[in-house]
Amino acid sequence: MVSAGLEILGLSLCVIGSLLVMVSCGLPMWKVTAFIEANIVVAQTIWDGLWMSCVVQSTGQMQCKVHDSVLALSHDLQAARALTIISSVMGVLGLMVVIAGAQCTNCIRAEYVKARVVNAGGVIYIVSGLFVLVPLCWMANNIISDFYNPQVPASKKREIGAALYIGWAASAQLLIGGSLLCCSCPSSGNSGYSVKYSPTKRATPNGDYDKRNYV
């Protein structure tokens, strides 16, 4: 019962984490305009994402432009694209593996094998969380370095966007959920006591029981 509860809790966290990874991957708010010095009052805000850059006017209008060339992007953006997509695919793969080995399904009969399959799904989710954590930390490090770099103009300095925080939350859920799935232990055989029944005692032709039945 405890093992089933861990499976449900771990799978729920992993599914939510995978969905948040996809949301973070699609959002354009990885880098946002830093309002400092002369940029305190501006007419527009710039959002930079993995797939597009958006300009939000003070009137509420927003214009987005998809990145034309992949090779023209910075190395952190290229790595973030690849790793977040891989993490999303691994999230779907991990879901299929865990469902195949879950205690509430009959895809696999052997309890020991079912537990091992669930453990493998947990490892997939942990790797998925690490894959999305790497570009998030890399991007955040570059943003902070450029922010405190005096050689970077104030108009080009950026701050950490909401997509990074969503990605960090997704990574934490994937790591925690994957760890819970790895804690699912295999069943230690059949529970209960084994009972051995003796053969039925037969009576002799004269109606009495054979004395050997009492030995």
Side-chain angles (χ1 to χ4, degrees):
M1 188 66 181
V2 177
S3 179
L6 288 177
E7 286 184 5
I8 296 174
L9 178 60
L11 183 59
S12 301
L13 290 176
C14 290
V15 170
I16 295 174
S18 297
L19 293 177
L20 291 180
V21 169
M22 298 177 186
V23 172
S24 176
C25 180
L27 285 179
M29 292 178 291
W30 283 62
K31 301 178 183 179
V32 297
T33 304
F35 299 103
I36 55 176
E37 298 179 358
N39 295 329
I40 296 179
V41 180
V42 294
Q44 63 185 17
T45 302
I46 300 176
W47 295 346
D48 293 325
L50 301 182
W51 311 99
M52 64 184 69
S53 296
C54 298
V55 177
V56 183
Q57 306 292 338
S58 58
T59 58
Q61 297 179 348
M62 183 175 62
Q63 296 178 348
C64 296
K65 183 178 182 298
V66 179
H67 297 310
D68 296 328
S69 176
V70 178
L71 299 178
L73 298 176
S74 58
H75 296 294
D76 55 350
L77 284 177
Q78 294 182 17
R81 274 189 175 189
L83 292 177
T84 50
I85 291 176
I86 293 174
S87 177
S88 301
V89 173
M90 293 186 67
V92 177
L93 178 61
L95 177 62
M96 297 172 60
V97 172
V98 173
I99 290 178
Q103 297 184 13
C104 57
T105 60
N106 295 325
C107 298
I108 302 175
R109 296 294 181 179
E111 294 294 332
Y112 182 83
V113 178
K114 288 168 68 75
R116 287 292 177 252
V117 171
V118 172
N119 293 343
V123 172
I124 293 175
Y125 276 119
I126 292 176
V127 175
S128 175
L130 294 177
F131 273 11
V132 74
L133 184 62
V134 171
L136 292 172
C137 296
W138 188 0
M139 187 80 67
N141 178 69
N142 290 343
I143 293 173
I144 296 173
S145 299
D146 293 340
F147 186 86
Y148 291 107
N149 188 358
Q151 297 180 356
V152 177
S155 60
K156 293 186 177 181
K157 291 185 177 182
R158 299 289 184 265
E159 290 184 353
I160 298 175
L164 292 182
Y165 295 105
I166 295 176
W168 279 323
S171 178
Q173 289 186 339
L174 287 172
L175 294 176
I176 295 174
S179 300
L180 291 177
L181 292 176
C182 290
C183 293
S184 178
C185 300
S187 178
S188 58
N190 298 326
S191 58
Y193 300 97
S194 59
V195 180
K196 295 182 179 180
Y197 295 96
S198 59
T200 305
K201 301 177 181 179
R202 296 182 179 180
T204 58
N206 57 2
D208 298 331
Y209 284 98
D210 192 352
K211 296 182 180 180
R212 290 177 298 178
N213 295 332
Y214 299 95
V215 179

